[in-house]
Amino acid sequence: MVINFTQTNLQLRNMDFSLSEEHIMIRDAARDFAQTELLPGVIERDNKQEFPQALVKKMGALGFMGIMVDPKYGGSGMDTISYVLIMEELSKIDASASVIVSVNNSLVCYGLEAYGTEEQKQKYLTKLATGEFVGAFCLSEPEAGSDATSQKTTAIDKGDHYLINGTKNWITNGGRADVYLVIAQTDKDKGSHGINTFIVEKGTPGFDIGPKEDKLGIRGSDTHTLQFNDVKIPKENRIGTNGSGFRFAMKTLSGGRIGIAAQALGIASGAYELALKYSKVRKAFGTEICNHQAVAFKLADMYTDIEAARMLVMKSAWDKDQGQNYDKSSAMAKLYASKIAMEHTVEAVQIHGGNGFVKDYHVERLMRDAKITQIYEGTSEIQKIVISRSLIKS
């Protein structure tokens, strides 16, 4: 069979990989903020496990806390491409700061804007999008991490209110949030259709915050276990229709994976940039180490893998912006970007030699930060389940 390409009028659409002028300006603004504001105290914050409260306010003022939120709710009204560009630049320097941005944008603001009532948006989203409030997403439990249908936290319908009881753990922004989106089981017999999402305000009676977790990485991020003991929540604080909580969680997490994929990309890219810079000044055997093939090939592999990860991350962001299903593409982006973040931060430490093992050169922190990207918002194994199920159904 001979195909006449002229008659079929085949076109390659949207294959321009260059950034628009607006996107370049957004990326450069985030890069400048990361270099001038995040970098100076990043080692100290990591050492002290210090939440960057003042920097969160500054990120809010720049529009980073409500990047994709409609301006009528106080957001920046940007697209998902802009979001991943900002996330990458912040993550090159401080993944603890970037995960605060990711959770607030992908999980909290998105969930409220997509599924909340107008009253909920006016009351909460307007403050979250500007950084006046910080949000937390409460899904994980001691016995229900990746298996979101096995919720033990309950929300019993009492007529005009719900009573929430249970425990949530590994909650990012857990001690600093003002607004918590809590996933809870209202009817166990209905399985995934018996789950709901509730807005819980900090300070609500019966809602207690446990000690901060002492973590390997993202140590400036605030991670806590939360306890709910007969927490009374008004009916108007339920998000969406009755029984829609599981769908809410899964759809919200798909967008969250784009943010974490961008974070992993930023960590890998930051480590590569530091390794390249170091290799050009460190000498061994009479020349800069970048001139030794062993190091040069490491740099080549790092750059190639980072560019491949960037394409996956951008594709998932583009899918979301185009209104296409992005469950599979976001899972692929997170799976691959987190993999290369882990692998190439290790290589960056190796290129730095002994200096890579000390805090002053930053790469050891990036290596520690990289590991969590393979775990939170769906482990790498969960991403493979999402991808394989999509392939089998197609």
Side-chain angles (χ1 to χ4, degrees):
M1 181 177 68
V2 178
I3 299 175
N4 187 325
F5 287 99
T6 303
Q7 290 180 358
T8 56
N9 193 30
L10 292 177
Q11 295 182 22
L12 291 176
R13 295 176 296 173
N14 301 314
M15 292 294 285
D16 183 358
F17 292 102
S18 60
L19 295 175
S20 68
E21 289 186 13
E22 183 180 359
H23 283 138
I24 291 171
M25 289 175 61
I26 291 166
R27 181 202 63 192
D28 290 350
R31 182 177 296 173
D32 181 69
F33 176 82
Q35 290 290 334
T36 59
E37 299 285 349
L38 294 182
L39 182 58
V42 66
I43 294 175
E44 183 179 6
R45 291 194 300 275
D46 178 75
N47 288 338
K48 295 181 177 179
Q49 299 192 79
E50 180 182 324
F51 186 86
Q53 186 68 46
L55 292 169
V56 169
K57 294 299 182 184
K58 290 182 179 181
M59 289 191 291
L62 286 170
F64 293 170
M65 298 299 282
I67 296 167
M68 298 167 288
V69 175
D70 192 311
K72 72 179 180 180
Y73 299 118
S76 299
M78 293 188 245
D79 60 8
T80 315
I81 296 291
S82 301
Y83 173 48
V84 301
L85 291 170
I86 292 168
M87 279 295 299
E88 180 183 356
E89 293 303 325
L90 300 181
S91 303
K92 287 179 182 180
I93 304 300
D94 187 354
S96 294
S98 72
V99 76
I100 297 167
V101 171
S102 179
V103 168
N104 206 72
N105 277 278
S106 292
L107 303 184
V108 182
C109 286
Y110 169 80
L112 277 169
E113 188 169 20
Y115 299 100
T117 64
E118 185 62 25
E119 290 74 19
Q120 289 169 348
K121 294 174 188 178
Q122 292 294 340
K123 186 175 181 179
Y124 300 109
L125 182 58
T126 53
K127 293 181 173 64
L128 288 160
T130 59
E132 180 181 347
F133 280 1
V134 172
F137 183 80
C138 309
L139 176 64
S140 295
E141 298 183 0
E143 296 180 21
S146 297
D147 183 7
T149 59
S150 299
Q151 298 287 307
K152 295 294 190 294
T153 298
T154 59
I156 306 303
D157 191 339
K158 294 294 184 179
D160 65 341
H161 67 276
Y162 289 91
L163 274 185
I164 299 181
N165 284 277
T167 302
K168 297 292 182 179
N169 64 345
W170 312 120
I171 305 304
T172 302
N173 302 337
R176 296 287 182 152
D178 303 278
V179 177
Y180 299 77
L181 304 190
V182 180
I183 316 297
Q185 185 74 253
T186 54
D187 190 339
K188 189 175 182 180
D189 292 338
K190 292 183 179 179
S192 63
H193 297 289
I195 295 172
N196 280 296
T197 307
F198 302 90
I199 302 169
V200 179
E201 296 181 23
K202 190 174 188 176
T204 303
F207 173 32
D208 297 313
I209 299 169
K212 181 188 291 188
E213 300 290 352
D214 188 3
K215 307 188 298 292
L216 170 72
I218 57 167
R219 290 169 60 80
S221 168
D222 212 44
T223 308
H224 292 258
T225 293
L226 309 178
Q227 296 284 346
F228 300 87
N229 300 295
D230 284 338
V231 178
K232 186 177 179 180
I233 299 299
K235 276 290 180 70
E236 58 264 28
N237 277 31
R238 189 189 74 199
I239 299 177
T241 57
N242 189 30
S244 65
F246 180 75
R247 182 177 180 276
F248 170 93
M250 294 302 100
K251 195 61 183 176
T252 303
L253 284 171
S254 287
R257 286 164 186 157
I258 298 175
I260 299 306
Q263 181 189 47
L265 172 64
I267 292 170
S269 185
Y272 161 76
E273 289 176 6
L274 289 170
L276 177 64
K277 181 179 178 181
Y278 183 81
S279 74
K280 290 180 177 181
V281 296
R282 175 72 166 94
K283 290 186 177 181
F285 303 103
T287 187
E288 292 77 10
I289 62 173
C290 63
N291 295 321
H292 296 298
Q293 191 177 78
V295 173
F297 279 13
K298 288 181 188 294
L299 293 169
D301 286 339
M302 292 170 77
Y303 186 81
T304 301
D305 288 345
I306 288 166
E307 283 297 295
R310 181 171 287 110
M311 292 299 103
L312 285 171
V313 174
M314 288 296 186
K315 174 60 165 58
S316 66
W318 185 86
D319 284 346
K320 186 171 182 290
D321 285 337
Q322 297 300 311
Q324 299 183 16
N325 187 300
Y326 52 91
D327 293 346
K328 181 175 68 175
S329 61
S330 65
M332 290 192 297
K334 183 181 182 297
L335 174 66
Y336 188 71
S338 63
K339 176 178 179 288
I340 65 107
M342 194 69 249
E343 291 177 355
H344 293 320
T345 51
V346 171
E347 289 287 40
V349 171
Q350 190 72 18
I351 289 171
H352 279 74
N355 286 331
F357 211 65
V358 298
K359 293 181 183 293
D360 287 350
Y361 286 80
H362 297 285
V363 287
E364 64 84 30
R365 185 186 71 259
L366 291 170
M367 183 179 71
R368 288 187 285 106
D369 289 346
K371 184 57 195 174
I372 192 61
T373 65
Q374 294 182 305
I375 299 172
Y376 60 12
E377 295 193 34
T379 63
S380 294
E381 291 74 20
I382 290 295
Q383 306 315 313
K384 292 180 181 180
I385 291 173
V386 172
I387 296 163
S388 61
R389 284 179 178 173
S390 178
L391 297 174
I392 292 166
K393 286 180 182 178
S394 62

